[in-house]
Amino acid sequence: MLRVLSHYLPVRKALLVLSETLILWLVLGFAGTVHLANPGRELHRALAHERGAMTLDGARFHCYVTAFLLAVLVQFAISFNELYDFRISQSRYDRARHFVGSMGSAIFVSLLAVGLAHLGQLDPLLDFPGISLGQKVRMLVFALLISFLLLFLWRTLFHHLLHRAKFYDRVLILGSSKAAHLLAKETREHADSGYEIAGIVPEQPSTQASVPGLDFDVDEFGTADLVLDGLMVCDKGLVQADAAAPHLSLAALVAHLDINEIVVAFGDRRGKLPIDDLLRCRLGGTPVRSYDEVFERVAGKISVEAMRPSYLIFGDGFARHPWADLVKRLLDLAVALPMLACLWPVMILTMICVRMGSEGPALFSQERVGRDGRLFTLFKFRSMYADAEKRSGPVWATSDDPRITRVGNFIRKTRLDELPQLFNVIGGSMSLVGPRPEREVFVKDLAQAIPYFDQRHIVKPGLTGWAQINYPYGNTVGDALQKLQYDLFYIKYQSLIFDLSILFNTIKTILLRRGT
């Protein structure tokens, strides 16, 4: 994987994005400069009136700059339609279906951008000098149709080449803990990770009564087929079940299976690591990594259950810089204020619908736990009947909760009930992006049941978050654990680019009616 701005990006995904951007840029650039190949009097006359008598070379350069900006814009449409999700991209049917949607979205946003630039007299930003607006529209539609045909053919060839060239790292997992099988399961589910699990070598049974991480049902992970039969690993190295079989070293197994990386995932490492064999492999050029590090890269979350405190203490990330806080605050205001200015008619209409739908106030306020454990008042549009908890007390909402009104069900699904939290963001008690704020009564219970739960409060809670776009709505301790793993990953790698990515994916999640 590539590390870009503290974030890991699979090499195969990076190559696909760059190659497709290049294809889009070249096709749009060629189509946008065809009229400059044989210039006539009318073209020279038109260029003479373009921003200070533009030359042919200047016009050609401007066309390619515009083509690049449009290629980037088209990439957003492709990403929005999930074509960089390899689970979708590798399926011929899903790839074709999503390409049709991407093509329609790309043509629409490109024409909209060029049209708005023309109307707003922003031609220096997006323009193809020397042709009229009608000619630009026809050229863009034709160029994008050709571009998407080429992209579809290239995508098919790309996946074929990946399969033939085996463009992935083969991983050998040492250890038979729950963490080992969880990593194998996550790797299978994340086809774009660039990893393939070549095998799992179980650790030799301990004489101790209980070893952490070994008490689980392997069938729930569906990875029993990856366990290498007849082999175990201990502090001395590999142990074979067949005592008559010739000795097999870890280095020999790595060579035999063509392993690119070794991952250590023991339930208990104390006195059990094959130090000499691992050193021999590492010095021989095979990277040896801990389970926590690889799990993060593959799953995009931190495994709380198997994590050791030393990983948080000595690992990278979790930096809190005053300038980063300032940039995040400026982003909050730059997005929340325009949203409030644009959406206030929708908010007023929502208030009216809530009041007409059931008795009680339109706005609902509740104390939540914010940054550093401080309490603040969160605002939402009321989606339940008034005094819904009068009998039940504080309980999590469920997907078919009878306390939710008909209007409330709609505004929950469309996220309209969250709009008043823009005032929380502007006021500074919340951010646009961060862990979702919980009620104090739930926080106390979850902090006792889940390790490191209180660490999510070292940042401001958010209107949306990494957990919200990656995990569906949950109302159990198990769901809270899963979301905490995403929250800690976000806190560890928090950055402006990460926040913008989450905001983009939140819009996609809302429009595609997924997530929480």
Side-chain angles (χ1 to χ4, degrees):
M1 287 191 177
L2 298 175
R3 189 166 185 176
V4 182
L5 298 175
S6 299
H7 298 280
Y8 288 102
L9 179 66
V11 175
R12 55 174 66 190
K13 182 177 287 189
L15 288 174
L16 185 59
V17 172
L18 290 174
S19 62
E20 293 189 341
T21 302
L22 181 62
I23 291 172
L24 286 166
W25 181 40
L26 291 177
V27 173
L28 288 170
F30 177 78
T33 56
V34 166
H35 65 288
L36 301 175
N38 296 302
R41 287 185 177 181
E42 291 186 3
L43 179 60
H44 281 292
R45 191 179 300 114
L47 292 178
H49 291 85
E50 291 274 358
R51 298 182 296 281
M54 183 177 290
T55 64
L56 280 174
D57 289 339
R60 193 172 287 110
F61 174 78
H62 197 88
C63 286
Y64 273 101
V65 171
T66 299
F68 177 76
L69 294 176
L70 289 175
V72 173
L73 194 62
V74 169
Q75 284 287 25
F76 278 101
I78 294 174
S79 177
F80 191 89
N81 283 275
E82 301 182 300
L83 274 169
Y84 289 119
D85 183 339
F86 272 58
R87 289 170 295 186
I88 291 173
S89 182
Q90 288 178 338
S91 166
R92 292 183 180 180
Y93 169 75
D94 288 337
R95 183 166 67 239
R97 181 167 56 89
H98 284 256
F99 253 101
V100 172
S102 295
M103 183 170 62
S105 302
I107 292 175
F108 173 76
V109 297
S110 297
L111 295 181
L112 180 65
V114 171
L116 290 177
H118 179 79
L119 294 175
Q121 296 184 339
L122 297 175
D123 290 346
L125 186 63
L126 288 175
D127 188 27
F128 293 94
I131 57 176
S132 66
L133 180 61
Q135 290 173 317
K136 293 174 190 174
V137 170
R138 290 192 294 273
M139 180 273 293
L140 280 176
V141 171
F142 177 76
L144 287 173
L145 288 174
I146 296 298
S147 296
F148 272 86
L149 174 61
L150 292 176
L151 289 180
F152 185 80
L153 295 174
W154 164 243
R155 185 70 71 101
T156 304
L157 177 61
F158 182 84
H159 286 295
H160 176 72
L161 291 175
L162 281 182
H163 180 73
R164 290 291 300 271
K166 296 183 178 180
F167 196 73
Y168 46 76
D169 288 334
R170 287 174 58 81
V171 175
L172 179 68
I173 300 177
L174 300 184
S176 55
S177 64
K178 182 178 180 180
H181 287 274
L182 180 59
L183 174 60
K185 176 176 177 289
E186 290 285 350
T187 303
R188 280 181 164 177
E189 292 178 352
H190 291 80
D192 62 344
S193 66
Y195 288 119
E196 180 191 56
I197 305 300
I200 300 174
V201 181
E203 54 200 279
Q204 193 174 40
S206 175
T207 56
Q208 299 177 13
S210 176
V211 176
L214 295 182
D215 185 16
F216 68 98
D217 183 8
V218 69
D219 291 334
E220 67 177 289
F221 298 100
T223 54
D225 59 303
L226 294 173
V227 178
L228 300 180
D229 295 329
L231 284 178
M232 290 182 291
V233 62
C234 65
D235 59 324
K236 304 297 183 183
L238 293 183
V239 178
Q240 293 174 272
D242 185 1
H247 175 70
L248 180 67
S249 67
L250 182 59
L253 180 64
V254 165
H256 176 69
L257 296 178
D258 193 21
I259 299 299
N260 304 108
E261 198 166 298
I262 298 172
V263 177
V264 178
F266 278 45
D268 183 10
R269 296 183 185 180
R270 291 171 295 182
K272 295 183 178 181
L273 288 178
I275 300 297
D276 292 338
D277 279 20
L278 288 174
L279 275 174
R280 193 172 294 111
C281 291
R282 180 66 188 91
L283 296 178
T286 304
V288 179
R289 307 193 187 282
S290 69
Y291 156 82
D292 312 86
E293 179 185 359
V294 178
F295 185 86
E296 272 189 31
R297 297 183 185 184
V298 171
K301 57 185 178 182
I302 292 178
S303 180
V304 172
E305 290 179 297
M307 186 174 59
R308 296 167 176 81
S310 59
Y311 183 70
L312 292 180
I313 296 171
F314 298 111
D316 295 333
F318 297 104
R320 292 178 65 173
H321 195 281
W323 283 107
D325 289 342
L326 176 61
V327 170
K328 187 173 178 64
R329 180 63 180 151
L330 291 176
L331 175 65
D332 289 342
L333 294 176
V335 175
L337 288 172
M339 281 184 66
L340 192 60
C342 295
L343 294 175
W344 67 265
V346 178
M347 295 174 69
I348 291 177
L349 181 61
T350 304
M351 290 179 67
I352 295 172
C353 291
V354 171
R355 289 287 287 118
M356 293 178 63
S358 62
E359 294 183 359
L363 277 177
F364 172 76
S365 62
Q366 192 175 69
E367 277 198 338
R368 299 288 176 99
V369 179
R371 185 173 184 173
D372 298 325
R374 291 191 294 266
L375 298 179
F376 72 97
T377 302
L378 176 139
F379 298 103
K380 297 178 70 173
F381 285 125
R382 181 175 56 83
S383 59
M384 295 185 177
Y385 292 103
D387 299 323
E389 291 187 342
K390 198 169 185 179
R391 294 183 178 180
S392 63
V395 292
W396 271 314
T398 59
S399 56
D400 55 349
D401 201 314
R403 300 173 299 169
I404 298 176
T405 66
R406 183 177 299 178
V407 173
N409 188 49
F410 174 77
I411 64 176
R412 275 174 171 257
K413 288 181 177 179
T414 55
R415 311 301 193 274
L416 292 175
D417 63 323
E418 309 283 358
L419 288 180
Q421 289 168 45
L422 290 172
F423 291 107
N424 289 113
V425 173
I426 295 170
S429 57
M430 289 180 63
S431 177
L432 283 172
V433 181
R436 287 296 294 157
E438 293 286 356
R439 299 170 65 177
E440 186 178 20
V441 61
F442 294 150
V443 168
K444 290 180 178 178
D445 292 339
L446 292 172
Q448 292 180 352
I450 302 175
Y452 311 107
F453 188 82
D454 276 333
Q455 305 311 313
R456 70 197 297 273
H457 298 128
I458 65 175
V459 298
K460 287 182 183 179
L463 188 61
T464 184
W466 186 237
Q468 279 62 54
I469 63 175
N470 282 287
Y471 195 82
Y473 181 82
N475 52 14
T476 66
V477 174
D479 292 328
L481 170 62
Q482 291 298 321
K483 290 198 170 188
L484 173 64
Q485 296 182 131
Y486 287 109
D487 288 336
L488 289 179
F489 182 88
Y490 167 74
I491 295 169
K492 182 174 182 178
Y493 296 109
Q494 180 183 343
S495 68
L496 176 63
I497 299 298
F498 201 5
D499 282 359
L500 292 174
S501 171
I502 291 172
L503 290 175
F504 172 75
N505 281 285
T506 298
I507 297 172
K508 183 170 69 174
T509 298
I510 293 173
L511 294 181
L512 297 179
R513 306 290 293 274
R514 301 180 318 177
T516 61

